[in-house]
Amino acid sequence: MNSLNHVAIIMDGNGRWGLKYKNSRNAGHKAGLNTVEKIIKETIKNKIKFLTLYAFSTENWKRPKKEVNYLFNLLENFLINRIEELHKKNIKLKIIGVKNFSSKLNQLLSLSEKKTSKNKKLQINLALNYGSKFEIINALKNLSKHKKKINEINLSQYLQTKNIPDPDLLIRTGNTKRLSNFLLWQLAYSEIFFEKKLWPEFTEKDYNKIISDFKKVKRNFGNI
Ligand code: IPE
Ligand code: IPE
Ligand code: MG
């Protein structure tokens, strides 16, 4: 059985769910947040140490301002209301991506990271304004600036996922089979599960089924 240390999730399908059931994409984002909470709990139950959640890509800025603002408001309120609880549950929050939001949100994110930085139970990496191509180019620029040799180990040290083991498992909900500029380097040997259900309708049971299927996969890493 494979051990499972790191799960990464592309939480896709909020907008479609919202339109279908509430006639509003934003209602889908709100509903998606409930799934986030359920999945965090289930991740802890499964004793998984790292959970990386794709919440906003560098490409998502193309969306209408109203939707983008709604998403960041949702995040702001979530942090204000829930960071204490996450902290009590011994969860560490780390942001991957470039923090260039409103000064209020930037501060809130930095404070949340700082407050939870010593926590040990689960590390949640929240990918916000994250783009893998930018991350890799930036790492290469830093390697050259610091006159470091270009090799796998050095490059990993300049990625935003520095010191985080690569995901064992990637899940994308929402019935779409693509990576959308997510962790292109780090997913080199991850097992990938594409899930038909939209993120707001993804349940603990669906999650546990994927985890149990993942555990049975023969991971070769090039070997036989
Ligand atoms: C993913 O859901 C959440 C974000 C990108 C913030 P979408 O909003 O992409 O949902 P669909 O794919 O349009 O249904
Ligand atoms: C990927 O979903 C980004 C997040 C889930 C945050 P998208 O819905 O933005 O991906 P594309 O644009 O359809 O590939
Ligand atoms: Mg989408």
Side-chain angles (χ1 to χ4, degrees):
M1 287 247 274
N2 296 315
S3 63
L4 181 51
N5 197 31
H6 185 175
V7 178
I9 307 183
I10 302 176
M11 310 182 287
D12 196 22
N14 287 348
R16 277 165 286 162
W17 186 92
L19 276 182
K20 187 168 168 198
Y21 295 104
K22 312 262 172 186
N23 202 25
S24 135
R25 289 184 51 87
N26 284 346
H29 293 310
K30 192 165 173 216
L33 202 51
N34 296 330
T35 308
V36 171
E37 303 220 24
K38 284 192 262 178
I39 294 307
I40 292 175
K41 280 198 193 120
E42 212 52 34
T43 303
I44 293 176
K45 274 196 199 155
N46 278 285
K47 300 193 170 61
I48 295 162
K49 285 297 183 192
F50 296 89
L51 175 67
T52 301
L53 299 173
Y54 204 7
F56 195 86
S57 73
T58 46
E59 288 72 30
N60 286 146
W61 294 109
K62 293 176 193 160
R63 296 185 178 202
K65 217 168 171 207
K66 201 174 136 235
E67 181 167 338
V68 172
N69 287 342
Y70 186 86
L71 277 166
F72 287 117
N73 265 323
L74 207 60
L75 174 66
E76 214 169 277
N77 288 329
F78 176 81
L79 288 174
I80 292 170
N81 295 320
R82 298 307 253 267
I83 195 64
E84 199 56 52
E85 194 186 324
L86 293 183
H87 183 49
K88 283 205 184 107
K89 286 186 175 155
N90 203 7
I91 294 173
K92 171 176 173 173
L93 182 72
K94 181 179 165 59
I95 307 303
I96 60 169
V98 181
K99 280 190 226 113
N100 65 351
F101 314 107
S102 69
S103 56
K104 186 179 174 204
L105 182 56
N106 287 340
Q107 264 182 29
L108 200 55
L109 290 167
S110 298
L111 277 173
S112 306
E113 285 185 289
K114 197 165 166 219
K115 184 184 179 79
T116 60
S117 65
K118 304 242 155 45
N119 290 345
K120 292 272 179 296
K121 184 143 224 128
L122 167 70
Q123 173 166 338
I124 298 177
N125 307 305
L126 192 61
L128 274 183
N129 189 22
Y130 174 85
S132 188
K133 288 190 175 179
F134 173 84
E135 180 190 35
I136 293 169
I137 287 173
N138 198 46
L140 289 169
K141 283 185 184 163
N142 275 315
L143 281 174
S144 111
K145 190 166 121 194
H146 295 100
K147 302 204 166 27
K148 291 263 165 60
K149 238 169 97 180
I150 293 181
N151 58 34
E152 280 189 31
I153 291 173
N154 287 347
L155 187 98
S156 314
Q157 286 305 302
Y158 283 94
L159 295 174
Q160 281 157 337
T161 51
K162 175 181 172 204
N163 298 334
I164 300 170
D166 287 343
D168 301 292
L169 167 61
L170 171 75
I171 301 170
R172 181 175 189 143
T173 60
N175 200 21
T176 304
K177 297 188 176 84
R178 54 177 175 254
L179 294 179
S180 304
N181 202 13
F182 189 47
L183 303 174
L184 301 178
W185 172 272
Q186 297 87 339
L187 293 173
Y189 259 109
S190 310
E191 302 301 325
I192 302 182
F193 284 70
F194 293 107
E195 161 68 44
K196 287 210 170 81
K197 281 195 185 174
L198 305 169
W199 179 249
E201 59 198 14
F202 186 64
T203 64
E204 292 95 334
K205 201 173 159 210
D206 301 321
Y207 188 41
N208 283 315
K209 171 79 174 78
I210 292 176
I211 291 174
S212 110
D213 289 348
F214 159 84
K215 289 192 170 164
K216 291 178 231 150
V217 171
K218 184 168 178 280
R219 301 186 76 189
N220 288 346
F221 300 100
N223 208 330
I224 50 168

